[in-house]
Amino acid sequence: MAIHHIQPGHGRIVVHNDGYSNHFSELSSSYPLKLLSAGTPPRNVSMVYALTYGGGLASGDHTETVIEVHDGARLAMFSQGSTKVSKARPGHPRRSAPAKSNPEPAGTASQKLAVHVASGGAFFLLADPVTCFRDARYHRTQVVHLARDSSVVLLDWMTSGRKASSEEWEFTSYQSRVDVYVDGRRIAEENMLVEGPYSFCTAQEAAKGFHVSGGALRSRCERTKPYSCYATVILYGELVHETLRRLSVARHNASSPRLSWSMSSICEGRGCIVKIGAEETEDVRVWLRQALSELEGVLGVDVYRQAFR
């Protein structure tokens, strides 16, 4: 396993399969990021936990992880609980930071993930959601490059904040962008942006009767009620074929009093994008556990249970 000097907050994972089992040719990280391989999964599956010292991201923190999956290996990536983002404090000392040319506002905590999956390989990002504290700024970008016969499952989700501390939607800004490419062609582009305490109703909302006295200006809570957790799942490849089939059948009953979801096919039906909104984080977790249960056969029961424990 090669370990090279890397910048603060950076990490690198390179995993191969030699025909008998997976092995890491590189698994390295630097403070405040920590990458840990854990468990005894099936021979062609590896697990990595992405952690940050202190259990979250401080003001101005920046982490950047590069991942390569080769030779038909399968890599599952988790977090240890939700990613907590602290209040932005411009001018305070920070543990890591992006390049000086980075245009993000001072105090923004940011994360970057770049993934390359070679032919026959698979990558499963099944981390817990992001939870932003009051006045936090958070920005994440995730770019995944796939071969046509590789597979991926990307779970990207967020909560409204710390309800117990009366901090629902009290963060300053949240942005998460995901781009997925197959053989160089982009098949998915998702960008979620929540910024500013108020925003205007859309024309569609106004047509449905969403009105606020004094005009169409509405707070985040008003716009998002009754939901406080949102998730996007991007799936692609042969290994998720059965999951795609089950979701396609189930989408005819896509709504319930506590949760609603929708599904859109991509890449000529070889993949899909699923959007979920729910009243509570646990509602989303339960739905994901059931909807993605076919992955037990792909990852192994023990690995799968790490995602939605």
Side-chain angles (χ1 to χ4, degrees):
M1 183 183 302
I3 300 179
H4 308 292
H5 175 73
I6 54 178
Q7 299 178 44
H10 285 225
R12 183 171 171 82
I13 304 169
V14 183
V15 61
H16 299 260
N17 187 280
D18 59 12
Y20 297 96
S21 63
N22 278 7
H23 63 91
F24 292 100
S25 61
E26 185 168 355
L27 179 59
S28 57
S29 58
S30 61
Y31 180 88
L33 176 66
K34 191 171 187 178
L35 300 174
L36 296 176
S37 175
T40 55
R43 64 184 181 86
N44 65 338
V45 180
S46 294
M47 291 193 299
V48 170
Y49 282 84
L51 317 175
T52 50
Y53 288 85
L57 294 170
S59 175
D61 273 0
H62 173 73
T63 69
E64 189 165 340
T65 306
V66 176
I67 297 174
E68 296 179 13
V69 182
H70 298 280
D71 308 320
R74 301 175 187 179
L75 175 64
M77 192 169 189
F78 309 103
S79 61
Q80 195 174 48
S82 64
T83 298
K84 299 173 179 62
V85 184
S86 300
K87 176 180 180 178
R89 299 177 183 274
H92 281 233
R94 52 195 179 187
R95 302 181 298 180
S96 60
K100 292 182 180 179
S101 59
N102 193 298
E104 294 169 353
T108 301
S110 60
Q111 294 183 299
K112 289 186 177 181
L113 179 67
V115 182
H116 296 262
V117 185
S119 177
F123 176 65
F124 304 85
L125 179 60
L126 300 171
D128 288 288
V130 172
T131 297
C132 292
F133 294 4
R134 179 180 283 116
D135 298 328
R137 289 182 175 273
Y138 177 75
H139 184 198
R140 171 170 59 190
T141 59
Q142 300 169 98
V143 181
V144 180
H145 291 271
L146 306 170
R148 181 170 175 78
D149 62 343
S150 54
S151 300
V152 72
V153 176
L154 297 172
L155 171 59
D156 185 39
W157 54 326
M158 67 169 302
T159 74
S160 60
R162 298 186 295 180
K163 283 188 174 183
S165 301
S166 300
E167 289 187 2
E168 278 200 277
W169 306 110
E170 292 293 325
F171 52 86
T172 300
S173 66
Y174 170 97
Q175 183 174 14
S176 182
R177 180 183 175 95
V178 184
D179 293 279
V180 180
Y181 296 82
V182 173
D183 288 341
R185 179 170 72 94
R186 184 161 56 192
I187 65 166
E189 177 185 359
E190 289 294 313
N191 189 26
M192 183 170 184
L193 174 63
V194 183
E195 194 168 44
Y198 297 96
S199 56
F200 287 94
C201 296
T202 65
Q204 291 82 0
E205 288 175 329
K208 292 179 181 179
F210 294 119
H211 298 292
V212 177
S213 60
L217 198 63
R218 305 175 66 221
S219 71
R220 290 179 190 163
C221 286
E222 289 172 319
R223 286 177 61 89
T224 57
K225 284 181 178 178
Y227 298 150
S228 65
C229 184
Y230 290 88
T232 299
V233 188
I234 300 176
L235 305 96
Y236 171 85
E238 186 63 31
L239 291 180
V240 299
H241 176 76
E242 184 59 24
T243 300
L244 294 174
R245 187 193 66 79
R246 290 186 60 189
L247 287 170
S248 182
V249 172
R251 64 179 166 182
H252 299 296
N253 299 307
S255 296
S256 70
R258 296 182 61 86
L259 179 146
S260 65
W261 64 278
S262 63
M263 170 186 173
S264 302
S265 294
I266 57 174
C267 204
E268 296 80 43
R270 290 178 57 83
C272 75
I273 300 174
V274 180
K275 299 289 187 69
I276 309 140
E279 291 187 18
E280 301 290 343
T281 303
E282 190 59 24
D283 296 329
V284 178
R285 195 184 305 277
V286 170
W287 187 92
L288 290 168
R289 186 186 301 128
Q290 297 171 347
L292 304 180
S293 60
E294 293 296 327
L295 295 181
E296 283 190 356
V298 176
L299 295 170
V301 174
D302 292 338
V303 177
Y304 181 76
R305 288 178 178 173
Q306 295 299 309
F308 309 115
R309 56 197 181 281

